[in-house]
């Protein structure tokens, strides 16, 4: 995310939370993959690896799409990886989470997160 010069100089800015989320989720996925029982089925390993891929895609797309448009890009495939099959539910929940985050952050708190590069 590109930031104004005065925000970029701050130790905590609008890049901090998405970065911390990505680091925490990727670390958790690696930990889950490392703690697999011996003789585990291949699917047990495939899920954490697929979730890591979802998180890497999310982190890569945030600068281009903005946080709130990238959230469904993370959640929709993550729900599928975890075994959810109801497409209306998957899409509805992913969009609702992004919309609620946007309403709370931008409307209620008055914080403006940087727009994605394709929006500028």
């Amino acid at each position: 995310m590109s930031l104004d010069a005065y925000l970029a100089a701050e130790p905590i800015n609008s890049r901090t939370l998405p970065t911390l989320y990505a680091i925490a989720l990727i670390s958790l996925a690696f930990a889950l993959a490392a703690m697999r029982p011996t003789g585990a089925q291949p699917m047990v390993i495939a899920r954490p690896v697929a979730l890591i891929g979802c998180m890497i895609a999310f982190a890569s797309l945030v600068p281009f799409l903005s946080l709130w448009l990238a959230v469904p890009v993370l959640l929709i495939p993550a729900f599928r990886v975890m075994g959810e099959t109801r497409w209306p539910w998957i899409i509805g929940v992913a969009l609702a989470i992004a919309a609620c985050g946007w309403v709370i952050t931008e409307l209620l708190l008055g914080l403006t997160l940087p727009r994605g590069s394709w929006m500028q």
Side-chain angles (χ1 to χ4, degrees), residues 45-83:
I45 298 303
R47 281 187 180 172
V49 170
L51 288 174
I52 290 169
C54 292
M55 289 179 256
I56 291 170
F58 169 73
S60 301
L61 290 174
V62 166
F64 303 108
L65 295 179
S66 82
L67 176 64
W68 304 121
L69 293 177
V71 165
V73 172
L74 168 67
L75 293 178
I76 290 171
F79 288 149
R80 285 293 300 144
V81 166
M82 297 310 295

Side-chain angles (χ1 to χ4, degrees), residues 18-64:
T19 302
L20 290 176
Y21 281 160
I23 292 169
L25 290 172
I26 290 171
S27 300
L28 181 61
F30 275 121
L32 288 172
M35 295 183 340
R36 74 177 173 90
T38 56
Q41 297 175 351
M43 188 59 183
V44 174
I45 298 303
R47 281 187 180 172
V49 170
L51 288 174
I52 290 169
C54 292
M55 289 179 256
I56 291 170
F58 169 73
S60 301
L61 290 174
V62 166
F64 303 108

Side-chain angles (χ1 to χ4, degrees), residues 2 4 6 9-10 12 27 32 36 48 69 75 78 85-86 89 95 98 114:
S2 60
D4 294 333
Y6 68 95
E10 295 292 324
I12 297 176
S27 300
L32 288 172
R36 74 177 173 90
L69 293 177
L75 293 178
T85 58
R86 298 171 290 173
W89 187 89
L95 294 176

